[in-house]
Amino acid sequence: MKPKTQPIPSIRTSGTNLKHAKSHNHRVVLDILRTQGPLSRADISRITSLSRQTIQNIVAELHEMSLVKFDKNKRTGRGRGHPGIDVYFRADAGYALGLYVDQFSLIGIMTDLVGHSIWNETLNVAYPDPETTAGIVQTMLGKLKKDKPKETERLIGIGLALPGPFNIEGVPSVGPTNLPRWTDPRVPEWLSNILGLPVVVENDASAAAVGEHLFGIGHQFDSFAYLYFGLGLGAGLHLNSNLYRGLGRNAGEIGHMVVEIDGRECPCGNRGCLERYVSLQAIYDTLGIENPTNQSIQVVEKLFREKDPRIIKWIDEAAPRLRQAVNIMESILDTNVIIVGGRLSHSILKGLISSLEPLHSSVTSHDSLLGNRVIIGSSGPDTTARGAAALSVFSQISPQVNTLLKGNGE
Amino acid sequence: MKPKTQPIPSIRTSGTNLKHAKSHNHRVVLDILRTQGPLSRADISRITSLSRQTIQNIVAELHEMSLVKFDKNKRTGRGRGHPGIDVYFRADAGYALGLYVDQFSLIGIMTDLVGHSIWNETLNVAYPDPETTAGIVQTMLGKLKKDKPKETERLIGIGLALPGPFNIEGVPSVGPTNLPRWTDPRVPEWLSNILGLPVVVENDASAAAVGEHLFGIGHQFDSFAYLYFGLGLGAGLHLNSNLYRGLGRNAGEIGHMVVEIDGRECPCGNRGCLERYVSLQAIYDTLGIENPTNQSIQVVEKLFREKDPRIIKWIDEAAPRLRQAVNIMESILDTNVIIVGGRLSHSILKGLISSLEPLHSSVTSHDSLLGNRVIIGSSGPDTTARGAAALSVFSQISPQVNTLLKGNGE
DNA sequence: TTATTTTTATGTCAACTTGATTTAAAAAAA
DNA sequence: TTTTTTTAAATCAAGTTGACATAAAAATAA
């Protein structure tokens, strides 16, 4: 539980040894208990392919650390033989703070290790930069110390979700959907030092995808793309059960993908960017809302309920573009499914999705066994903040290749 | 060196132990020597973060197995202190057969473990199915046994590259760029059993990307997309130094990605597929060549040299689409660079690339440090076959997460 | 310039540590 | 009686540690 971000050693050049194997195995057991628990030690042994005795030892150590607890006789009838003693993951062994900062608001959620929210707060902010955010979080932490002393004591880290794209230094911002001054890749480390806790920074779509993977319908898919409606549009990519970030943490930034040559003008300098057609900002543009706030979304919702022709017009314009985007993502990524979610309400998303049919045929068309190629996720900004918290938990509990390798500062 | 393909255990559920750690460390040392060798044992120790003594033991074992050799005094002047004894990777410790099968021809190349070609053959075939191919390869192996007895003895595996997409059963083929009956995911295992050697099957773009990564300019990039001009168009995705395959081995099949709504009709049923604008098939369509053969490409080359207006017209039509595709891939994948290659000649590729400028701005625009966002790879179909051979070597020598985990049949 | 000493680095040996496995036995239920 | 889980002790395998001999370059003195 180090407060610094570590360089990632490549699996191709790093060896491993017993210690790393051990901490990997610990994480594996913990992860299995968290996601599939409670289980008997024999069960865990079967799942991990590790010997019963090894699991015995590992679980004993985890119990020593108060990360698991035992409970006899809770589960029934598993055949003959000595009944197993169930091992439970202790969700209250630690807590994480998830933050979702966007153009208008800052949402903070404190969760336990399985993602249950035990506290939350929403503040109004306007396009905050790292310094401002650090200040707000410090205040928040101070308040938490009073409100939730025991839990704050056990805080293991902070996850921070921001709207992408993260631009590279010296590049002009790309319009109203972008946040300033978060470009420097050292920001997470800088925040870590100020706040005294490990900080993970991720774009909102990725955080939402993680949330969806852990707490939502994404759970059942190994690979999916999460199309996220913030003010702009982004995608979180979960490939082979892992978040794919890209080199500059900008993977999945499909908002500025050109879907129509010589299409609508975009502040980014291109023409025909997807975001100009499919995004909250595009709705505001269609409605003529010039300076949107956190409340504008309710206006949109109301107009949709009233079947306002301008909203219908927007859906008619957006659907072909979204259909195209779905086809493009399927073609490139070959995932199980595409999940759609974000700040748009469920009903609007539903309207949008249903007007997508028939989808373009794709290489993945017939792979997603159970039917739908595009599904709606558990929407709402809370999922994003919870996902951010989960990212923090993830980075410290979940098994990662990283853990297995040497050369990352022990 | 098992002749079967293994299920991949998830890192989240599989533990590890000493044996797996050992074979991982062996692979790591071998891989480092192959790509960066020769090196002293102390050098290897530093790179892997393993102790000198451990490297000592591992290298001794590798030497025992004739996988490495020593040579004193070859390299000079490395500062003071006891000079190291160089350890060399023995490229002739094993050989691999790489095959590239496409619509018109079958190319076979035998390489050593670092990818040097020691034999090759090109045959004419027409849209071969798995059975036909198996027969051809068996004949080829028989011939090799006579021509290269020692090397054939040490054959460690076969890599087979095919044009994608791999369709799912029951789906109609998608036109002249597609090969029949390769859809079943059990084909590699079936081939393994018939040929008595481990077989890896991959789409041509992926194989070419691997070749490019190992032997070409792709070497210097952690992440890149390789845009491959076969008869159709595909992309091989090297993300974080690993080939990304997608669920149905169809990742990167951008040929049927819709770039223009209501664009040109495509046999796949969609309209406006990229492949209808940017591909060899698109050139043939423009030129009115109805039944192209292996030689048709030379006709195209000749026309290009003569600045035939029909080719110029094709480039003018293709460039905006390719520009768009580059932007899309950059947006989604956030890689270092996009490499272009395949059956198109260097000069045509050069013409095409130069007419791409100015590219659309992208999230990656300013990350690829050394300038060009789109570069030309070492083109030519041989690279694809070599890449296929390398894939086979890779699967048995290179460090993979897989190796570290239990639960894959020891 | 030459001879000598110091510094630095490699390779090797042997003892040690660590963590998973094997073996065995007790306990509990069908 | 059979099956299965839990626990304990002994064993094994692989990486680590620290000491040491050795060799070359760099620094110093003659």
Side-chain angles (χ1 to χ4, degrees):
Chain A
M1 310 225 173
K2 290 149 288 171
K4 298 229 175 172
T5 50
Q6 299 290 341
I8 298 164
S10 154
I11 193 163
R12 287 190 57 203
T13 55
S14 177
T16 189
N17 64 5
L18 312 217
K19 282 199 183 144
H20 291 262
K22 181 185 184 180
S23 63
H24 170 73
N25 288 347
H26 276 231
R27 281 174 178 237
V28 167
V29 171
L30 226 39
D31 191 59
I32 288 173
L33 285 175
R34 183 175 62 77
T35 56
Q36 305 172 48
L39 295 164
S40 76
R41 277 164 275 200
D43 289 335
I44 303 172
S45 163
R46 274 183 292 269
I47 296 172
T48 58
S49 310
L50 289 165
S51 71
R52 287 204 296 271
Q53 186 55 44
T54 301
I55 298 302
Q56 170 77 9
N57 298 338
I58 291 173
V59 168
E61 266 190 72
L62 294 176
H63 187 238
E64 190 98 347
M65 292 188 281
S66 305
L67 285 168
V68 301
K69 61 186 173 192
F70 301 108
D71 199 341
K72 260 189 218 173
N73 304 328
K74 270 291 162 74
R75 297 194 303 151
T76 51
R78 275 175 301 171
R80 52 177 160 183
H82 194 316
I85 297 167
D86 282 339
V87 184
Y88 289 75
F89 179 73
R90 291 193 58 161
D92 60 345
Y95 295 87
L97 184 61
L99 301 168
Y100 175 25
V101 178
D102 75 354
Q103 294 82 359
F104 313 119
S105 64
L106 184 153
I107 299 173
I109 289 194
M110 196 175 190
T111 73
D112 63 18
L113 295 183
V114 298
H116 290 136
S117 162
I118 61 157
W119 175 93
N120 70 78
E121 186 175 49
T122 302
L123 303 170
N124 288 320
V125 297
Y127 293 83
D129 60 19
E131 286 79 9
T132 317
T133 309
I136 295 173
V137 177
Q138 272 175 322
T139 313
M140 189 179 273
L141 283 173
K143 201 200 269 175
L144 271 170
K145 215 167 219 159
K146 281 191 195 130
D147 280 13
K148 301 269 177 189
K150 234 177 56 191
E151 288 83 354
T152 307
E153 191 88 358
R154 296 198 204 148
L155 217 48
I156 65 165
I158 298 175
L160 174 56
L162 295 165
F166 298 116
N167 290 312
I168 307 305
E169 297 204 52
V171 178
S173 105
V174 287
T177 60
N178 202 244
L179 237 53
R181 307 242 349 272
W182 289 91
T183 64
D184 194 319
R186 288 167 305 175
V187 163
E189 196 180 334
W190 175 82
L191 272 172
S192 276
N193 290 334
I194 288 190
L195 300 173
L197 281 165
V199 174
V200 184
V201 176
E202 203 53 69
N203 70 57
D204 52 0
S206 295
V210 169
E212 194 62 50
H213 177 65
L214 290 174
F215 316 124
I217 197 166
H219 184 68
Q220 50 192 298
F221 303 106
D222 284 337
S223 294
F224 65 87
Y226 191 95
L227 256 167
Y228 188 84
F229 283 83
L231 185 57
L233 183 71
L237 308 180
H238 242 265
L239 308 179
N240 301 327
S241 300
N242 271 101
L243 184 61
Y244 174 73
R245 293 187 163 80
L247 276 180
R249 288 178 300 165
N250 276 330
E253 282 300 345
I254 57 174
H256 294 280
M257 161 170 118
V258 175
V259 291
E260 179 163 3
I261 295 175
D262 297 325
R264 294 182 186 162
E265 253 183 87
C266 181
C268 78
N270 294 337
R271 281 175 157 275
C273 291
L274 180 59
E275 198 172 285
R276 294 279 72 73
Y277 304 88
V278 185
S279 71
L280 204 43
Q281 181 68 46
I283 300 183
Y284 294 154
D285 289 347
T286 308
L287 297 179
I289 298 177
E290 294 221 342
N291 289 303
T293 69
N294 212 7
Q295 278 68 48
S296 310
I297 188 121
Q298 274 116 44
V299 178
V300 174
E301 177 63 19
K302 182 160 167 287
L303 290 174
F304 179 74
R305 272 200 310 274
E306 293 165 355
K307 298 212 166 65
D308 187 284
R310 290 172 301 173
I311 293 281
I312 306 300
K313 174 176 168 247
W314 174 75
I315 289 187
D316 286 346
E317 284 169 359
R321 297 309 172 184
L322 186 54
R323 189 181 302 129
Q324 188 182 358
V326 166
N327 165 272
I328 287 173
M329 305 207 66
E330 286 180 340
S331 298
I332 293 181
L333 300 170
D334 190 14
T335 59
N336 292 108
V337 73
I338 291 182
I339 305 179
V340 180
R343 284 197 177 273
L344 276 187
S345 74
H346 191 88
S347 52
I348 299 185
L349 284 176
K350 205 169 155 190
L352 190 57
I353 300 298
S354 63
S355 62
L356 285 184
E357 297 294 344
L359 286 165
H360 296 302
S361 71
S362 280
V363 283
T364 40
S365 339
H366 305 265
D367 191 45
S368 108
L369 323 142
L370 305 162
N372 293 338
R373 284 153 60 191
V374 182
I375 58 182
I376 300 178
S378 37
S379 59
D382 281 14
T383 310
T384 313
R386 279 176 79 200
L391 264 168
S392 175
V393 174
F394 240 52
S395 71
Q396 295 182 57
I397 286 195
S398 281
Q400 294 167 355
V401 174
N402 212 332
T403 316
L404 271 162
L405 305 179
K406 299 193 64 177
N408 54 3
E410 290 295 291
Chain B
M1 310 221 176
K2 289 149 287 171
K4 299 229 175 172
T5 50
Q6 300 289 343
I8 299 165
S10 153
I11 194 163
R12 287 189 58 204
T13 56
S14 180
T16 190
N17 66 3
L18 311 213
K19 274 191 191 152
H20 292 262
K22 181 183 183 180
S23 66
H24 170 74
N25 287 349
H26 276 231
R27 282 173 178 240
V28 166
V29 171
L30 226 40
D31 191 60
I32 288 173
L33 285 175
R34 183 176 62 78
T35 56
Q36 305 173 47
L39 295 163
S40 75
R41 277 164 276 200
D43 288 335
I44 303 173
S45 164
R46 275 183 293 269
I47 295 172
T48 58
S49 309
L50 290 166
S51 69
R52 286 209 304 273
Q53 186 54 47
T54 300
I55 298 302
Q56 170 77 9
N57 298 338
I58 291 173
V59 167
E61 267 189 74
L62 294 176
H63 187 237
E64 190 98 346
M65 293 188 278
S66 305
L67 285 167
V68 300
K69 61 186 175 191
F70 301 108
D71 199 343
K72 257 189 220 174
N73 304 328
K74 270 291 162 74
R75 296 194 302 151
T76 52
R78 276 176 299 170
R80 55 175 155 179
H82 193 315
I85 298 167
D86 283 337
V87 184
Y88 288 74
F89 178 72
R90 290 193 58 161
D92 59 346
Y95 295 87
L97 184 61
L99 301 168
Y100 176 23
V101 178
D102 74 354
Q103 294 82 357
F104 313 119
S105 64
L106 184 152
I107 300 174
I109 290 195
M110 196 175 189
T111 72
D112 64 17
L113 295 182
V114 298
H116 290 137
S117 163
I118 61 157
W119 175 92
N120 71 78
E121 186 176 47
T122 303
L123 304 170
N124 288 320
V125 296
Y127 292 84
D129 60 21
E131 286 79 9
T132 317
T133 309
I136 295 173
V137 177
Q138 271 176 323
T139 313
M140 189 179 272
L141 283 173
K143 201 201 267 175
L144 270 170
K145 216 167 220 161
K146 282 192 195 127
D147 280 14
K148 300 271 179 189
K150 235 177 55 191
E151 288 83 354
T152 307
E153 190 88 358
R154 295 196 205 149
L155 216 49
I156 64 164
I158 298 175
L160 173 56
L162 296 164
F166 298 116
N167 290 312
I168 308 304
E169 297 202 53
V171 178
S173 105
V174 288
T177 60
N178 200 244
L179 237 51
R181 310 245 343 275
W182 288 91
T183 63
D184 193 320
R186 289 167 304 176
V187 163
E189 197 180 333
W190 175 82
L191 272 173
S192 276
N193 291 334
I194 289 190
L195 300 173
L197 281 165
V199 174
V200 185
V201 176
E202 204 51 71
N203 72 56
D204 52 0
S206 295
V210 169
E212 193 64 48
H213 177 65
L214 290 174
F215 316 124
I217 198 167
H219 184 68
Q220 52 191 295
F221 302 107
D222 285 337
S223 295
F224 64 87
Y226 190 94
L227 255 168
Y228 187 83
F229 283 85
L231 185 57
L233 184 73
L237 308 181
H238 241 267
L239 309 178
N240 301 328
S241 300
N242 270 101
L243 184 62
Y244 174 73
R245 291 186 164 81
L247 276 181
R249 288 178 300 163
N250 276 332
E253 282 300 345
I254 57 174
H256 295 280
M257 164 169 116
V258 175
V259 290
E260 180 163 1
I261 294 174
D262 297 323
R264 293 183 188 165
E265 252 183 87
C266 182
C268 77
N270 293 339
R271 282 174 158 277
C273 292
L274 180 59
E275 197 172 285
R276 295 277 73 74
Y277 305 89
V278 184
S279 70
L280 204 42
Q281 181 68 45
I283 300 182
Y284 293 153
D285 289 347
T286 308
L287 297 179
I289 299 177
E290 295 222 340
N291 290 301
T293 68
N294 212 6
Q295 276 69 48
S296 310
I297 188 120
Q298 272 117 46
V299 178
V300 173
E301 177 63 18
K302 184 160 164 287
L303 290 174
F304 179 75
R305 271 199 311 274
E306 293 165 356
K307 298 212 165 67
D308 186 284
R310 289 173 301 173
I311 294 280
I312 305 300
K313 175 179 166 241
W314 174 76
I315 289 187
D316 286 346
E317 283 169 1
R321 296 310 171 183
L322 186 54
R323 189 182 300 127
Q324 189 181 357
V326 165
N327 165 272
I328 287 173
M329 305 206 66
E330 286 180 339
S331 298
I332 294 181
L333 300 169
D334 190 14
T335 59
N336 292 107
V337 75
I338 291 181
I339 306 179
V340 180
R343 286 197 176 272
L344 276 189
S345 73
H346 191 88
S347 51
I348 298 185
L349 285 176
K350 207 170 153 190
L352 190 56
I353 300 298
S354 63
S355 62
L356 286 184
E357 296 293 344
L359 286 165
H360 295 303
S361 70
S362 281
V363 283
T364 40
S365 337
H366 305 264
D367 191 45
S368 109
L369 324 142
L370 306 162
N372 294 339
R373 283 153 60 190
V374 181
I375 58 181
I376 300 178
S378 37
S379 60
D382 282 14
T383 310
T384 313
R386 279 176 79 199
L391 264 168
S392 174
V393 174
F394 241 54
S395 71
Q396 296 183 55
I397 287 195
S398 282
Q400 294 166 356
V401 173
N402 213 332
T403 316
L404 270 162
L405 304 179
K406 298 194 64 176
N408 54 3
E410 291 294 288

